[in-house]
């Protein structure tokens, strides 16, 4: 199982770079279609989730810091946690639920309907034709969505602080920028990229593995979502350890 | 596939040599493109040495024929081997293309 | 179908092919040959292993034992890359059609052309038109598979299988679900392609009329074994009672029917 997953992932990454070595490559049009499916269509949900979390963070923070008489720290808390952790994480969760599951279901249905076998017989490599555009779209769109989500989340934090917590709007921004470094932004994006790779490979793998009709598709989709979530969190823990504690 | 062209009585005679398949039909298409943009009034394609033609080859000829009809030109094909002729017949293209047993009869048809 | 020299007198040769799924032996020591330019029909009852046999020949499944030769090349030992070269000369019509549901009829037929060559989209469109006309579906390019009937799907699948002018065509029940006229159209097409263009074909079919119309060779499977092979005349003359029951479609005979046997009543009453 793990071996088959590794094999598919390796093959997919190799196929991504195949055009560089003069081999017949994947199609740009297929990639764009998937970028729209996976990325553009997820934007409203990602924005909404991040917006709500931005609000929640600011209010929770304010509740705690008020006791210490340090509501100014809200800006630091919101910015710091969204860029480093919450933004990439919640975006990945949304993408897994929305796009990851649909990748598995779509590929799985193609598998049970013998479409993948048909590709094979036509001499069209299903990995190159189906997996590569989806994986690449995940790799590209996860950071893009994360940036979008972080932007919305930060704005929500500012908005709530200024309107309900009566913090000074300019002072908030000053505090916020002082609290984080550029590194925080980059590590967040690195996380997003890695999450995209994990989610893309896991969901494609489960889709290509499907056996046993509609029931099989359902089971595989559930497994893909659970495994993606777990693997994504494990990856998060690992990256956080590597980046901030070593 | 090779393409050789000569002119007889002001009519270009184009001899195609070899297989017209997925690999070579783009070459034939590139050859025919200027012929249609120059509105070549009459053209003879000599198929005597065409060993094989696939559907993409047929499609290339159809595309040229569409252009020819557009500017009121003429196209004739000559000397098809039985096997190549069969390919035309299976998709009933012998009904739209003017096919001739040899070059003189094709030239005569183009001049008519 | 270019004028290449054949490496072997046989387009397809199967030797001693066996395959089990778990404890169930599905194919047992199956052997037969198909000469270039001929049509071989594979016949036999539902579930006797015909589709499974075809899947082995096209390389979707690997046999437990036995060999398969495509024009003299042993394919069971080829790696994916080498096999995909052999497959470029295949056309395959799946029993279920296996059309790409997300694509239109036209895109389905164009896919093998666009993916395996650099021909212009306009040329591919024209090829699609030629192929759809062959199966009587001119004008249906823009419908999705979900919008056409079962028999039409079969015919689109046929058009797609023929898209690259294959040397070797595999059809899994190409005419099931077709009306008699369309059945005849598809049969004539298959015969024309072999007679006139030298294609070879293996056709799985239950339709005896159709089989006797197109076959130059017949293979008859029963419970995963070849019980008879031969020309249509030889098969007709073969006294084997299993064969005769099948050809003539008698309900009663040596083929164990799942109807009205004591066994069934006994099982029914067992708790
Ligand atoms: N992937 C598989 N796993 C387990 N058993 C299988 C598998 N594929 C086929 N079988 C079994 O193999 C047997 C033959 O199936 P196959 O599809 O080849 O039959 P068939 O002759 O094509 O029947 P039909 O005429 O109904 O299409 C069946 O009993 C089926 O249960
Ligand atoms: Mg079957």
């Amino acid at each position: 199982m793990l071996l088959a997953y590794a094999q598919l992932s390796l093959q997919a990454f190799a196929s991504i770079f195949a055009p560089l070595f003069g081999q017949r490559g994947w199609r740009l049009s297929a990639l764009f279609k998937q970028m729209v499916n996976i990325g553009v269509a997820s934007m409203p949900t990602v924005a909404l989730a991040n917006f709500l979390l931005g609000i929640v963070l600011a209010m929770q923070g304010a509740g705690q810091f008020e006791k210490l008489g340090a509501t100014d720290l809200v800006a630091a808390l919101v910015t710091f946690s969204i860029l480093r952790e919450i933004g990439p994480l919640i975006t990945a969760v949304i993408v897994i639920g929305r796009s990851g599951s649909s990748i598995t279901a779509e590929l799985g249905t193609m598998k049970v309907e013998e479409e993948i076998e048909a590709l094979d017989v036509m001499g069209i490599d299903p990995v190159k034709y189906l997996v590569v555009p989806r994986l690449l779209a995940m790799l590209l769109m996860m950071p893009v969505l994360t940036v979008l989500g972080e932007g919305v989340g930060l704005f929500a934090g500012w908005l709530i602080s200024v309107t309900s917590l009566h913090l000074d709007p300019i002072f908030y921004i000053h505090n916020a920028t002082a609290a984080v470094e550029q590194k925080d932004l980059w590590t967040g994006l690195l996380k997003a990229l890695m999450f995209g790779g994990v989610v893309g490979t896991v969901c494609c793998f489960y889709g290509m593995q499907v056996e046993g009709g509609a029931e099989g598709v359902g089971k595989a989709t559930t497994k893909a979502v659970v495994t993606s979530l777990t693997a994504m969190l494990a990856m998060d823990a690992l990256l956080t350890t590597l980046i901030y504690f070593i | 596939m090779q393409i050789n062209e000569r002119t007889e009585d002001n009519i270009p005679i184009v001899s195609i040599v070899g297989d017209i398949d997925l690999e070579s039909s783009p070459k034939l298409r590139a050859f025919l493109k200027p012929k249609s943009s120059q509105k070549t009034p009459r053209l003879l394609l000599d198929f005597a040495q065409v060993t094989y033609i696939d559907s993409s080859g047929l499609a290339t000829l159809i595309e040229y024929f569409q252009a020819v009809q557009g500017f009121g030109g003429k196209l004739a094909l000559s000397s098809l081997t039985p096997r190549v002729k069969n390919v035309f017949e299976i998709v009933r293209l012998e009904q739209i293309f003017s096919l001739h047993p040899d070059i003189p009869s094709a030239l005569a048809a183009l001049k008519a | 179908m270019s004028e290449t020299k054949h490496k072997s007198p046989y387009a397809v040769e199967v030797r001693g092919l066996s395959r089990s799924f778990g404890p169930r032996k599905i194919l047992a020591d199956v052997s037969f040959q198909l000469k270039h330019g001929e049509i071989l029909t594979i016949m036999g009852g539902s579930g006797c292993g015909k589709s499974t046999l075809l899947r082995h020949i096209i390389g979707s499944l690997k046999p437990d034992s036995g060999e398969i030769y495509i024009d003299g090349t042993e394919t069971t030992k080829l790696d994916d890359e080498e096999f995909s070269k052999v497959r470029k000369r295949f056309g395959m019509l799946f029993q279920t059609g296996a059309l790409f549901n997300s694509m239109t009829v036209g895109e389905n037929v164009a896919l093998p052309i666009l993916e395996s060559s650099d021909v212009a989209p306009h040329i591919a469109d024209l090829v699609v038109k030629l192929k759809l006309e062959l199966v009587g579906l001119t004008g249906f390019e823009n419908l999705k598979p979900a919008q056409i009937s079962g028999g039409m799907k079969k015919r689109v699948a046929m058009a797609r299988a023929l898209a690259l002018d294959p040397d070797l065509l595999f059809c899994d029940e190409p005419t099931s679900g077709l009306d008699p006229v369309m059945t005849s159209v598809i049969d004539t097409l298959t015969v024309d392609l072999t007679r006139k263009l030298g294609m070879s074909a293996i056709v799985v079919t239950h339709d005896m009329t159709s089989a006797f119309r197109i076959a130059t060779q017949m293979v008859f499977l029963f419970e995963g074994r070849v019980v008879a092979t031969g020309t249509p005349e030889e098969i007709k003359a073969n006294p084997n009672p299993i064969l005769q029951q099948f050809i003539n479609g008698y309900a009663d005979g040596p083929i164990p029917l799942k109807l009205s046997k004591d066994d069934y009543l006994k099982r029914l009453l067992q708790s």
Side-chain angles (χ1 to χ4, degrees), chain C residues 139-213:
Chain C
F140 287 91
E141 285 91 334
N142 294 322
L143 295 182
K144 288 272 179 84
Q147 297 168 314
I148 60 177
S149 76
M152 287 161 82
K153 279 185 202 157
K154 271 274 157 76
R155 289 185 280 149
V156 175
M158 181 75 166
R160 187 179 70 183
L162 295 175
L164 292 177
D165 308 293
D167 292 322
L168 195 47
L169 179 68
F170 301 101
C171 295
D172 198 344
E173 301 191 19
T175 58
S176 72
L178 296 192
D179 65 62
V181 177
M182 262 309 147
T183 300
S184 176
V185 167
I186 296 296
D187 285 349
T188 312
L189 175 62
T190 314
V191 170
D192 278 356
L193 290 171
T194 55
R195 300 270 158 80
K196 294 187 180 165
L197 304 185
M199 186 184 77
S200 318
I202 295 184
V203 179
V204 169
T205 183
H206 285 303
D207 180 341
M208 289 301 125
T209 327
S210 172
F212 281 97
R213 189 154 52 199

Side-chain angles (χ1 to χ4, degrees), chain C residues 21 24 26 44-53 55 61 95 172-173 204 206:
Chain C
F21 285 121
R24 295 168 60 210
I26 304 299
S46 189
C48 71
K50 304 181 295 296
S51 299
T52 307
L53 174 57
R55 283 213 155 79
L61 293 173
Q95 187 167 1
D172 198 344
E173 301 191 19
V204 169
H206 285 303

Side-chain angles (χ1 to χ4, degrees), chain C residues 103-133:
Chain C
M103 298 181 194
T104 64
V105 165
E107 287 166 345
N108 263 283
V109 182
L111 183 75
I113 305 165
L114 293 173
E115 285 298 318
S116 66
S117 71
D118 295 317
V119 299
H122 184 238
I123 296 293
D125 279 351
L126 286 169
V127 176
V128 168
K129 289 204 171 95
L130 292 175
K131 301 298 170 184
L132 286 179
E133 172 59 22

Side-chain angles (χ1 to χ4, degrees), chain A residues 165-178:
Chain A
L165 309 176
H166 308 295
L167 297 180
D168 181 69
I170 307 292
F171 192 53
Y172 178 98
I173 294 174
H174 181 78
N175 274 344
T177 39

Side-chain angles (χ1 to χ4, degrees), chain A residues 30 32 36 51 59 71 123 130 144 146 150 156 169 176 180 207 231:
Chain A
F32 284 140
V36 171
F51 186 82
M59 296 203 297
T71 34
L130 297 172
V144 171
T146 301
E150 288 175 351
V180 292

